[in-house]
PDB file of all heavy atoms in Angstrom:
ATOM      1  N   MET A   1     -19.986   2.025   0.926  1.00 84.00           N
ATOM      2  CA  MET A   1     -18.901   1.984  -0.028  1.00 84.00           C
ATOM      3  C   MET A   1     -17.648   2.643   0.538  1.00 84.00           C
ATOM      4  O   MET A   1     -16.567   2.105   0.431  1.00 84.00           O
ATOM      5  CB  MET A   1     -19.365   2.686  -1.316  1.00 84.00           C
ATOM      6  CG  MET A   1     -18.339   2.739  -2.390  1.00 84.00           C
ATOM      7  SD  MET A   1     -18.147   1.111  -3.081  1.00 84.00           S
ATOM      8  CE  MET A   1     -17.060   1.421  -4.388  1.00 84.00           C
ATOM      9  N   PHE A   2     -17.803   3.820   1.151  1.00 86.00           N
ATOM     10  CA  PHE A   2     -16.644   4.514   1.694  1.00 86.00           C
ATOM     11  C   PHE A   2     -16.026   3.765   2.871  1.00 86.00           C
ATOM     12  O   PHE A   2     -14.813   3.777   3.052  1.00 86.00           O
ATOM     13  CB  PHE A   2     -17.016   5.941   2.101  1.00 86.00           C
ATOM     14  CG  PHE A   2     -17.359   6.811   0.926  1.00 86.00           C
ATOM     15  CD1 PHE A   2     -18.656   7.208   0.692  1.00 86.00           C
ATOM     16  CD2 PHE A   2     -16.374   7.209   0.038  1.00 86.00           C
ATOM     17  CE1 PHE A   2     -18.974   7.995  -0.391  1.00 86.00           C
ATOM     18  CE2 PHE A   2     -16.673   8.000  -1.061  1.00 86.00           C
ATOM     19  CZ  PHE A   2     -17.976   8.388  -1.279  1.00 86.00           C
ATOM     20  N   ALA A   3     -16.855   3.104   3.648  1.00 85.00           N
ATOM     21  CA  ALA A   3     -16.339   2.317   4.778  1.00 85.00           C
ATOM     22  C   ALA A   3     -15.482   1.169   4.262  1.00 85.00           C
ATOM     23  O   ALA A   3     -14.431   0.867   4.827  1.00 85.00           O
ATOM     24  CB  ALA A   3     -17.488   1.788   5.624  1.00 85.00           C
ATOM     25  N   TYR A   4     -15.905   0.525   3.174  1.00 80.00           N
ATOM     26  CA  TYR A   4     -15.123  -0.565   2.598  1.00 80.00           C
ATOM     27  C   TYR A   4     -13.792  -0.042   2.066  1.00 80.00           C
ATOM     28  O   TYR A   4     -12.746  -0.658   2.282  1.00 80.00           O
ATOM     29  CB  TYR A   4     -15.894  -1.259   1.467  1.00 80.00           C
ATOM     30  CG  TYR A   4     -15.054  -2.306   0.775  1.00 80.00           C
ATOM     31  CD1 TYR A   4     -14.803  -3.526   1.385  1.00 80.00           C
ATOM     32  CD2 TYR A   4     -14.476  -2.047  -0.462  1.00 80.00           C
ATOM     33  CE1 TYR A   4     -14.014  -4.480   0.775  1.00 80.00           C
ATOM     34  CE2 TYR A   4     -13.688  -2.997  -1.082  1.00 80.00           C
ATOM     35  CZ  TYR A   4     -13.453  -4.214  -0.467  1.00 80.00           C
ATOM     36  OH  TYR A   4     -12.660  -5.146  -1.063  1.00 80.00           O
ATOM     37  N   LEU A   5     -13.808   1.084   1.369  1.00 78.00           N
ATOM     38  CA  LEU A   5     -12.565   1.650   0.838  1.00 78.00           C
ATOM     39  C   LEU A   5     -11.613   2.037   1.968  1.00 78.00           C
ATOM     40  O   LEU A   5     -10.405   1.837   1.861  1.00 78.00           O
ATOM     41  CB  LEU A   5     -12.866   2.850  -0.052  1.00 78.00           C
ATOM     42  CG  LEU A   5     -13.546   2.535  -1.374  1.00 78.00           C
ATOM     43  CD1 LEU A   5     -13.891   3.808  -2.107  1.00 78.00           C
ATOM     44  CD2 LEU A   5     -12.689   1.624  -2.223  1.00 78.00           C
ATOM     45  N   ALA A   6     -12.146   2.581   3.044  1.00 77.00           N
ATOM     46  CA  ALA A   6     -11.305   2.928   4.191  1.00 77.00           C
ATOM     47  C   ALA A   6     -10.686   1.663   4.784  1.00 77.00           C
ATOM     48  O   ALA A   6      -9.496   1.641   5.106  1.00 77.00           O
ATOM     49  CB  ALA A   6     -12.121   3.667   5.241  1.00 77.00           C
ATOM     50  N   TYR A   7     -11.476   0.612   4.924  1.00 73.00           N
ATOM     51  CA  TYR A   7     -10.956  -0.662   5.431  1.00 73.00           C
ATOM     52  C   TYR A   7      -9.889  -1.210   4.482  1.00 73.00           C
ATOM     53  O   TYR A   7      -8.806  -1.608   4.894  1.00 73.00           O
ATOM     54  CB  TYR A   7     -12.094  -1.679   5.573  1.00 73.00           C
ATOM     55  CG  TYR A   7     -11.608  -3.111   5.611  1.00 73.00           C
ATOM     56  CD1 TYR A   7     -11.003  -3.619   6.758  1.00 73.00           C
ATOM     57  CD2 TYR A   7     -11.725  -3.940   4.502  1.00 73.00           C
ATOM     58  CE1 TYR A   7     -10.531  -4.923   6.798  1.00 73.00           C
ATOM     59  CE2 TYR A   7     -11.251  -5.240   4.536  1.00 73.00           C
ATOM     60  CZ  TYR A   7     -10.655  -5.732   5.680  1.00 73.00           C
ATOM     61  OH  TYR A   7     -10.183  -7.008   5.697  1.00 73.00           O
ATOM     62  N   TYR A   8     -10.198  -1.227   3.186  1.00 72.00           N
ATOM     63  CA  TYR A   8      -9.304  -1.814   2.191  1.00 72.00           C
ATOM     64  C   TYR A   8      -7.962  -1.098   2.171  1.00 72.00           C
ATOM     65  O   TYR A   8      -6.916  -1.731   2.093  1.00 72.00           O
ATOM     66  CB  TYR A   8      -9.963  -1.742   0.814  1.00 72.00           C
ATOM     67  CG  TYR A   8      -9.172  -2.443  -0.269  1.00 72.00           C
ATOM     68  CD1 TYR A   8      -9.317  -3.803  -0.466  1.00 72.00           C
ATOM     69  CD2 TYR A   8      -8.295  -1.740  -1.081  1.00 72.00           C
ATOM     70  CE1 TYR A   8      -8.606  -4.450  -1.450  1.00 72.00           C
ATOM     71  CE2 TYR A   8      -7.575  -2.385  -2.066  1.00 72.00           C
ATOM     72  CZ  TYR A   8      -7.737  -3.739  -2.249  1.00 72.00           C
ATOM     73  OH  TYR A   8      -7.016  -4.380  -3.215  1.00 72.00           O
ATOM     74  N   ASN A   9      -7.962   0.218   2.264  1.00 69.00           N
ATOM     75  CA  ASN A   9      -6.725   0.985   2.148  1.00 69.00           C
ATOM     76  C   ASN A   9      -5.946   1.115   3.453  1.00 69.00           C
ATOM     77  O   ASN A   9      -4.731   1.314   3.419  1.00 69.00           O
ATOM     78  CB  ASN A   9      -7.017   2.378   1.598  1.00 69.00           C
ATOM     79  CG  ASN A   9      -7.330   2.332   0.134  1.00 69.00           C
ATOM     80  OD1 ASN A   9      -6.753   1.560  -0.619  1.00 69.00           O
ATOM     81  ND2 ASN A   9      -8.257   3.165  -0.286  1.00 69.00           N
ATOM     82  N   HIS A  10      -6.625   1.002   4.595  1.00 75.00           N
ATOM     83  CA  HIS A  10      -5.935   1.265   5.859  1.00 75.00           C
ATOM     84  C   HIS A  10      -5.819   0.057   6.783  1.00 75.00           C
ATOM     85  O   HIS A  10      -4.994   0.080   7.689  1.00 75.00           O
ATOM     86  CB  HIS A  10      -6.632   2.403   6.603  1.00 75.00           C
ATOM     87  CG  HIS A  10      -6.497   3.716   5.906  1.00 75.00           C
ATOM     88  ND1 HIS A  10      -5.384   4.501   6.010  1.00 75.00           N
ATOM     89  CD2 HIS A  10      -7.341   4.372   5.065  1.00 75.00           C
ATOM     90  CE1 HIS A  10      -5.534   5.577   5.271  1.00 75.00           C
ATOM     91  NE2 HIS A  10      -6.713   5.528   4.682  1.00 75.00           N
ATOM     92  N   ASP A  11      -6.605  -0.985   6.585  1.00 74.00           N
ATOM     93  CA  ASP A  11      -6.587  -2.111   7.517  1.00 74.00           C
ATOM     94  C   ASP A  11      -6.298  -3.456   6.857  1.00 74.00           C
ATOM     95  O   ASP A  11      -5.782  -4.354   7.503  1.00 74.00           O
ATOM     96  CB  ASP A  11      -7.931  -2.215   8.249  1.00 74.00           C
ATOM     97  CG  ASP A  11      -8.217  -0.979   9.086  1.00 74.00           C
ATOM     98  OD1 ASP A  11      -7.267  -0.441   9.675  1.00 74.00           O
ATOM     99  OD2 ASP A  11      -9.382  -0.563   9.131  1.00 74.00           O
ATOM    100  N   HIS A  12      -6.640  -3.605   5.602  1.00 77.00           N
ATOM    101  CA  HIS A  12      -6.529  -4.893   4.905  1.00 77.00           C
ATOM    102  C   HIS A  12      -5.080  -5.146   4.493  1.00 77.00           C
ATOM    103  O   HIS A  12      -4.484  -4.353   3.787  1.00 77.00           O
ATOM    104  CB  HIS A  12      -7.438  -4.878   3.670  1.00 77.00           C
ATOM    105  CG  HIS A  12      -7.447  -6.156   2.915  1.00 77.00           C
ATOM    106  ND1 HIS A  12      -8.063  -7.284   3.396  1.00 77.00           N
ATOM    107  CD2 HIS A  12      -6.928  -6.490   1.712  1.00 77.00           C
ATOM    108  CE1 HIS A  12      -7.923  -8.265   2.515  1.00 77.00           C
ATOM    109  NE2 HIS A  12      -7.240  -7.801   1.480  1.00 77.00           N
ATOM    110  N   LEU A  13      -4.504  -6.256   4.960  1.00 74.00           N
ATOM    111  CA  LEU A  13      -3.122  -6.600   4.620  1.00 74.00           C
ATOM    112  C   LEU A  13      -3.092  -7.332   3.282  1.00 74.00           C
ATOM    113  O   LEU A  13      -3.914  -8.205   3.018  1.00 74.00           O
ATOM    114  CB  LEU A  13      -2.520  -7.476   5.708  1.00 74.00           C
ATOM    115  CG  LEU A  13      -2.475  -6.854   7.093  1.00 74.00           C
ATOM    116  CD1 LEU A  13      -1.912  -7.852   8.091  1.00 74.00           C
ATOM    117  CD2 LEU A  13      -1.669  -5.585   7.098  1.00 74.00           C
ATOM    118  N   HIS A  14      -2.119  -7.000   2.456  1.00 71.00           N
ATOM    119  CA  HIS A  14      -2.007  -7.592   1.134  1.00 71.00           C
ATOM    120  C   HIS A  14      -0.732  -8.411   1.028  1.00 71.00           C
ATOM    121  O   HIS A  14       0.348  -7.943   1.359  1.00 71.00           O
ATOM    122  CB  HIS A  14      -1.966  -6.495   0.056  1.00 71.00           C
ATOM    123  CG  HIS A  14      -3.252  -5.793  -0.101  1.00 71.00           C
ATOM    124  ND1 HIS A  14      -4.180  -6.151  -1.035  1.00 71.00           N
ATOM    125  CD2 HIS A  14      -3.781  -4.743   0.573  1.00 71.00           C
ATOM    126  CE1 HIS A  14      -5.215  -5.353  -0.945  1.00 71.00           C
ATOM    127  NE2 HIS A  14      -5.000  -4.496   0.033  1.00 71.00           N
ATOM    128  N   GLN A  15      -0.868  -9.621   0.536  1.00 75.00           N
ATOM    129  CA  GLN A  15       0.289 -10.487   0.342  1.00 75.00           C
ATOM    130  C   GLN A  15       1.247  -9.867  -0.668  1.00 75.00           C
ATOM    131  O   GLN A  15       2.462  -9.935  -0.500  1.00 75.00           O
ATOM    132  CB  GLN A  15      -0.173 -11.858  -0.137  1.00 75.00           C
ATOM    133  CG  GLN A  15       0.961 -12.832  -0.340  1.00 75.00           C
ATOM    134  CD  GLN A  15       0.461 -14.196  -0.808  1.00 75.00           C
ATOM    135  OE1 GLN A  15      -0.704 -14.367  -1.117  1.00 75.00           O
ATOM    136  NE2 GLN A  15       1.349 -15.149  -0.858  1.00 75.00           N
ATOM    137  N   THR A  16       0.718  -9.239  -1.699  1.00 72.00           N
ATOM    138  CA  THR A  16       1.540  -8.633  -2.746  1.00 72.00           C
ATOM    139  C   THR A  16       2.454  -7.549  -2.194  1.00 72.00           C
ATOM    140  O   THR A  16       3.560  -7.367  -2.673  1.00 72.00           O
ATOM    141  CB  THR A  16       0.637  -8.018  -3.841  1.00 72.00           C
ATOM    142  OG1 THR A  16      -0.239  -9.027  -4.307  1.00 72.00           O
ATOM    143  CG2 THR A  16       1.444  -7.470  -4.983  1.00 72.00           C
ATOM    144  N   PHE A  17       1.988  -6.831  -1.183  1.00 67.00           N
ATOM    145  CA  PHE A  17       2.756  -5.730  -0.603  1.00 67.00           C
ATOM    146  C   PHE A  17       3.566  -6.174   0.608  1.00 67.00           C
ATOM    147  O   PHE A  17       3.957  -5.350   1.423  1.00 67.00           O
ATOM    148  CB  PHE A  17       1.826  -4.588  -0.185  1.00 67.00           C
ATOM    149  CG  PHE A  17       1.010  -4.005  -1.305  1.00 67.00           C
ATOM    150  CD1 PHE A  17      -0.320  -3.688  -1.117  1.00 67.00           C
ATOM    151  CD2 PHE A  17       1.569  -3.769  -2.545  1.00 67.00           C
ATOM    152  CE1 PHE A  17      -1.076  -3.146  -2.131  1.00 67.00           C
ATOM    153  CE2 PHE A  17       0.821  -3.226  -3.572  1.00 67.00           C
ATOM    154  CZ  PHE A  17      -0.505  -2.912  -3.368  1.00 67.00           C
ATOM    155  N   GLY A  18       3.819  -7.458   0.749  1.00 78.00           N
ATOM    156  CA  GLY A  18       4.575  -7.948   1.899  1.00 78.00           C
ATOM    157  C   GLY A  18       3.783  -7.846   3.183  1.00 78.00           C
ATOM    158  O   GLY A  18       4.336  -7.578   4.234  1.00 78.00           O
ATOM    159  N   TYR A  19       2.474  -8.045   3.094  1.00 80.00           N
ATOM    160  CA  TYR A  19       1.548  -7.987   4.235  1.00 80.00           C
ATOM    161  C   TYR A  19       1.532  -6.609   4.891  1.00 80.00           C
ATOM    162  O   TYR A  19       1.492  -6.476   6.098  1.00 80.00           O
ATOM    163  CB  TYR A  19       1.854  -9.096   5.240  1.00 80.00           C
ATOM    164  CG  TYR A  19       1.579 -10.449   4.643  1.00 80.00           C
ATOM    165  CD1 TYR A  19       2.619 -11.220   4.139  1.00 80.00           C
ATOM    166  CD2 TYR A  19       0.280 -10.915   4.517  1.00 80.00           C
ATOM    167  CE1 TYR A  19       2.361 -12.445   3.542  1.00 80.00           C
ATOM    168  CE2 TYR A  19       0.018 -12.136   3.927  1.00 80.00           C
ATOM    169  CZ  TYR A  19       1.064 -12.898   3.440  1.00 80.00           C
ATOM    170  OH  TYR A  19       0.801 -14.101   2.849  1.00 80.00           O
ATOM    171  N   HIS A  20       1.583  -5.582   4.052  1.00 81.00           N
ATOM    172  CA  HIS A  20       1.373  -4.205   4.481  1.00 81.00           C
ATOM    173  C   HIS A  20       0.086  -3.716   3.836  1.00 81.00           C
ATOM    174  O   HIS A  20      -0.376  -4.272   2.857  1.00 81.00           O
ATOM    175  CB  HIS A  20       2.532  -3.297   4.043  1.00 81.00           C
ATOM    176  CG  HIS A  20       3.827  -3.660   4.662  1.00 81.00           C
ATOM    177  ND1 HIS A  20       4.139  -3.372   5.966  1.00 81.00           N
ATOM    178  CD2 HIS A  20       4.900  -4.314   4.160  1.00 81.00           C
ATOM    179  CE1 HIS A  20       5.340  -3.823   6.238  1.00 81.00           C
ATOM    180  NE2 HIS A  20       5.830  -4.406   5.159  1.00 81.00           N
ATOM    181  N   THR A  21      -0.465  -2.652   4.370  1.00 79.00           N
ATOM    182  CA  THR A  21      -1.667  -2.079   3.771  1.00 79.00           C
ATOM    183  C   THR A  21      -1.268  -1.253   2.549  1.00 79.00           C
ATOM    184  O   THR A  21      -0.126  -0.802   2.447  1.00 79.00           O
ATOM    185  CB  THR A  21      -2.404  -1.177   4.769  1.00 79.00           C
ATOM    186  OG1 THR A  21      -1.593  -0.053   5.074  1.00 79.00           O
ATOM    187  CG2 THR A  21      -2.774  -1.921   6.033  1.00 79.00           C
ATOM    188  N   PRO A  22      -2.188  -1.032   1.612  1.00 78.00           N
ATOM    189  CA  PRO A  22      -1.875  -0.168   0.481  1.00 78.00           C
ATOM    190  C   PRO A  22      -1.450   1.234   0.925  1.00 78.00           C
ATOM    191  O   PRO A  22      -0.559   1.834   0.343  1.00 78.00           O
ATOM    192  CB  PRO A  22      -3.192  -0.108  -0.303  1.00 78.00           C
ATOM    193  CG  PRO A  22      -3.877  -1.379   0.028  1.00 78.00           C
ATOM    194  CD  PRO A  22      -3.513  -1.650   1.458  1.00 78.00           C
ATOM    195  N   HIS A  23      -2.068   1.740   1.999  1.00 81.00           N
ATOM    196  CA  HIS A  23      -1.720   3.062   2.514  1.00 81.00           C
ATOM    197  C   HIS A  23      -0.266   3.082   2.989  1.00 81.00           C
ATOM    198  O   HIS A  23       0.501   3.988   2.643  1.00 81.00           O
ATOM    199  CB  HIS A  23      -2.677   3.432   3.652  1.00 81.00           C
ATOM    200  CG  HIS A  23      -2.354   4.737   4.292  1.00 81.00           C
ATOM    201  ND1 HIS A  23      -2.596   5.942   3.686  1.00 81.00           N
ATOM    202  CD2 HIS A  23      -1.805   5.030   5.490  1.00 81.00           C
ATOM    203  CE1 HIS A  23      -2.201   6.921   4.482  1.00 81.00           C
ATOM    204  NE2 HIS A  23      -1.728   6.389   5.587  1.00 81.00           N
ATOM    205  N   ASP A  24       0.137   2.094   3.782  1.00 82.00           N
ATOM    206  CA  ASP A  24       1.517   2.023   4.267  1.00 82.00           C
ATOM    207  C   ASP A  24       2.503   1.871   3.115  1.00 82.00           C
ATOM    208  O   ASP A  24       3.572   2.479   3.119  1.00 82.00           O
ATOM    209  CB  ASP A  24       1.693   0.852   5.232  1.00 82.00           C
ATOM    210  CG  ASP A  24       0.983   1.068   6.548  1.00 82.00           C
ATOM    211  OD1 ASP A  24       0.700   2.237   6.891  1.00 82.00           O
ATOM    212  OD2 ASP A  24       0.701   0.067   7.231  1.00 82.00           O
ATOM    213  N   THR A  25       2.143   1.066   2.133  1.00 77.00           N
ATOM    214  CA  THR A  25       3.011   0.859   0.979  1.00 77.00           C
ATOM    215  C   THR A  25       3.207   2.168   0.225  1.00 77.00           C
ATOM    216  O   THR A  25       4.323   2.509  -0.163  1.00 77.00           O
ATOM    217  CB  THR A  25       2.408  -0.203   0.036  1.00 77.00           C
ATOM    218  OG1 THR A  25       2.233  -1.413   0.780  1.00 77.00           O
ATOM    219  CG2 THR A  25       3.301  -0.470  -1.146  1.00 77.00           C
ATOM    220  N   ARG A  26       2.133   2.915   0.033  1.00 80.00           N
ATOM    221  CA  ARG A  26       2.205   4.183  -0.692  1.00 80.00           C
ATOM    222  C   ARG A  26       3.031   5.208   0.089  1.00 80.00           C
ATOM    223  O   ARG A  26       3.834   5.932  -0.482  1.00 80.00           O
ATOM    224  CB  ARG A  26       0.787   4.704  -0.934  1.00 80.00           C
ATOM    225  CG  ARG A  26       0.689   5.816  -1.903  1.00 80.00           C
ATOM    226  CD  ARG A  26      -0.747   6.111  -2.331  1.00 80.00           C
ATOM    227  NE  ARG A  26      -1.743   6.048  -1.272  1.00 80.00           N
ATOM    228  CZ  ARG A  26      -2.634   5.072  -1.123  1.00 80.00           C
ATOM    229  NH1 ARG A  26      -2.673   4.047  -1.955  1.00 80.00           N
ATOM    230  NH2 ARG A  26      -3.506   5.095  -0.134  1.00 80.00           N
ATOM    231  N   ILE A  27       2.876   5.249   1.405  1.00 84.00           N
ATOM    232  CA  ILE A  27       3.604   6.218   2.232  1.00 84.00           C
ATOM    233  C   ILE A  27       5.103   5.890   2.261  1.00 84.00           C
ATOM    234  O   ILE A  27       5.928   6.792   2.232  1.00 84.00           O
ATOM    235  CB  ILE A  27       3.047   6.195   3.675  1.00 84.00           C
ATOM    236  CG1 ILE A  27       1.622   6.652   3.659  1.00 84.00           C
ATOM    237  CG2 ILE A  27       3.913   6.980   4.618  1.00 84.00           C
ATOM    238  CD1 ILE A  27       1.298   7.926   4.311  1.00 84.00           C
ATOM    239  N   ASN A  28       5.440   4.625   2.332  1.00 82.00           N
ATOM    240  CA  ASN A  28       6.841   4.210   2.479  1.00 82.00           C
ATOM    241  C   ASN A  28       7.540   3.937   1.156  1.00 82.00           C
ATOM    242  O   ASN A  28       8.697   3.531   1.156  1.00 82.00           O
ATOM    243  CB  ASN A  28       6.919   2.954   3.356  1.00 82.00           C
ATOM    244  CG  ASN A  28       6.464   3.242   4.767  1.00 82.00           C
ATOM    245  OD1 ASN A  28       6.793   4.271   5.329  1.00 82.00           O
ATOM    246  ND2 ASN A  28       5.676   2.340   5.326  1.00 82.00           N
ATOM    247  N   TYR A  29       6.880   4.178   0.042  1.00 81.00           N
ATOM    248  CA  TYR A  29       7.464   3.897  -1.266  1.00 81.00           C
ATOM    249  C   TYR A  29       8.536   4.924  -1.605  1.00 81.00           C
ATOM    250  O   TYR A  29       8.336   6.120  -1.487  1.00 81.00           O
ATOM    251  CB  TYR A  29       6.384   3.925  -2.349  1.00 81.00           C
ATOM    252  CG  TYR A  29       6.937   3.752  -3.732  1.00 81.00           C
ATOM    253  CD1 TYR A  29       7.377   2.501  -4.154  1.00 81.00           C
ATOM    254  CD2 TYR A  29       7.034   4.811  -4.613  1.00 81.00           C
ATOM    255  CE1 TYR A  29       7.882   2.319  -5.423  1.00 81.00           C
ATOM    256  CE2 TYR A  29       7.542   4.648  -5.881  1.00 81.00           C
ATOM    257  CZ  TYR A  29       7.968   3.393  -6.286  1.00 81.00           C
ATOM    258  OH  TYR A  29       8.490   3.228  -7.539  1.00 81.00           O
ATOM    259  N   SER A  30       9.677   4.424  -1.990  1.00 75.00           N
ATOM    260  CA  SER A  30      10.731   5.303  -2.496  1.00 75.00           C
ATOM    261  C   SER A  30      11.410   4.572  -3.650  1.00 75.00           C
ATOM    262  O   SER A  30      12.020   3.527  -3.458  1.00 75.00           O
ATOM    263  CB  SER A  30      11.738   5.656  -1.410  1.00 75.00           C
ATOM    264  OG  SER A  30      12.367   4.516  -0.936  1.00 75.00           O
ATOM    265  N   PRO A  31      11.278   5.088  -4.856  1.00 73.00           N
ATOM    266  CA  PRO A  31      11.846   4.399  -6.012  1.00 73.00           C
ATOM    267  C   PRO A  31      13.370   4.369  -5.937  1.00 73.00           C
ATOM    268  O   PRO A  31      14.001   5.300  -5.459  1.00 73.00           O
ATOM    269  CB  PRO A  31      11.368   5.218  -7.197  1.00 73.00           C
ATOM    270  CG  PRO A  31      11.026   6.549  -6.638  1.00 73.00           C
ATOM    271  CD  PRO A  31      10.644   6.329  -5.213  1.00 73.00           C
ATOM    272  N   ASP A  32      13.935   3.286  -6.398  1.00 72.00           N
ATOM    273  CA  ASP A  32      15.387   3.125  -6.433  1.00 72.00           C
ATOM    274  C   ASP A  32      15.837   3.378  -7.874  1.00 72.00           C
ATOM    275  O   ASP A  32      15.816   2.484  -8.706  1.00 72.00           O
ATOM    276  CB  ASP A  32      15.774   1.717  -5.975  1.00 72.00           C
ATOM    277  CG  ASP A  32      17.280   1.525  -5.950  1.00 72.00           C
ATOM    278  OD1 ASP A  32      18.003   2.527  -5.899  1.00 72.00           O
ATOM    279  OD2 ASP A  32      17.707   0.353  -5.977  1.00 72.00           O
ATOM    280  N   PHE A  33      16.241   4.596  -8.141  1.00 72.00           N
ATOM    281  CA  PHE A  33      16.658   4.941  -9.497  1.00 72.00           C
ATOM    282  C   PHE A  33      18.077   4.492  -9.784  1.00 72.00           C
ATOM    283  O   PHE A  33      18.451   4.329 -10.932  1.00 72.00           O
ATOM    284  CB  PHE A  33      16.540   6.457  -9.712  1.00 72.00           C
ATOM    285  CG  PHE A  33      15.138   6.952  -9.701  1.00 72.00           C
ATOM    286  CD1 PHE A  33      14.691   7.794  -8.705  1.00 72.00           C
ATOM    287  CD2 PHE A  33      14.242   6.553 -10.692  1.00 72.00           C
ATOM    288  CE1 PHE A  33      13.388   8.247  -8.688  1.00 72.00           C
ATOM    289  CE2 PHE A  33      12.942   7.000 -10.681  1.00 72.00           C
ATOM    290  CZ  PHE A  33      12.507   7.852  -9.683  1.00 72.00           C
ATOM    291  N   GLY A  34      18.866   4.322  -8.740  1.00 71.00           N
ATOM    292  CA  GLY A  34      20.250   3.906  -8.937  1.00 71.00           C
ATOM    293  C   GLY A  34      21.050   5.017  -9.596  1.00 71.00           C
ATOM    294  O   GLY A  34      20.589   6.125  -9.809  1.00 71.00           O
ATOM    295  N   LEU A  35      22.291   4.715  -9.896  1.00 67.00           N
ATOM    296  CA  LEU A  35      23.153   5.693 -10.542  1.00 67.00           C
ATOM    297  C   LEU A  35      23.133   5.473 -12.044  1.00 67.00           C
ATOM    298  O   LEU A  35      23.249   4.362 -12.521  1.00 67.00           O
ATOM    299  CB  LEU A  35      24.590   5.570 -10.026  1.00 67.00           C
ATOM    300  CG  LEU A  35      24.765   5.860  -8.533  1.00 67.00           C
ATOM    301  CD1 LEU A  35      26.207   5.583  -8.125  1.00 67.00           C
ATOM    302  CD2 LEU A  35      24.410   7.312  -8.229  1.00 67.00           C
ATOM    303  N   VAL A  36      23.006   6.547 -12.748  1.00 66.00           N
ATOM    304  CA  VAL A  36      23.006   6.473 -14.206  1.00 66.00           C
ATOM    305  C   VAL A  36      24.309   7.100 -14.689  1.00 66.00           C
ATOM    306  O   VAL A  36      24.622   8.237 -14.363  1.00 66.00           O
ATOM    307  CB  VAL A  36      21.800   7.226 -14.809  1.00 66.00           C
ATOM    308  CG1 VAL A  36      21.841   7.192 -16.308  1.00 66.00           C
ATOM    309  CG2 VAL A  36      20.515   6.639 -14.264  1.00 66.00           C
ATOM    310  N   ALA A  37      25.065   6.324 -15.455  1.00 63.00           N
ATOM    311  CA  ALA A  37      26.357   6.845 -15.912  1.00 63.00           C
ATOM    312  C   ALA A  37      26.288   7.310 -17.351  1.00 63.00           C
ATOM    313  O   ALA A  37      25.540   6.915 -18.145  1.00 63.00           O
ATOM    314  CB  ALA A  37      27.423   5.761 -15.792  1.00 63.00           C
TER     315      ALA A  37
END
């Protein structure tokens, strides 16, 4: 089970994430809050 989770999070590319791994997506995520007036 842990081997599958490690594969899924670190090696498996996802179309939803622009063909990045969930780990890469989580590390590179930065919300765009924009300016609030």
Side-chain angles (χ1 to χ4, degrees):
M1 179 73 174
F2 293 109
Y4 175 75
L5 290 175
Y7 160 75
Y8 185 85
N9 286 323
H10 293 279
D11 298 322
H12 182 72
L13 300 177
H14 290 265
Q15 181 180 8
T16 305
F17 301 138
Y19 294 100
H20 296 284
T21 65
H23 177 73
D24 290 339
T25 302
R26 193 168 40 253
I27 296 247
N28 295 318
Y29 175 74
S30 61
D32 182 21
F33 293 114
L35 297 175
V36 178

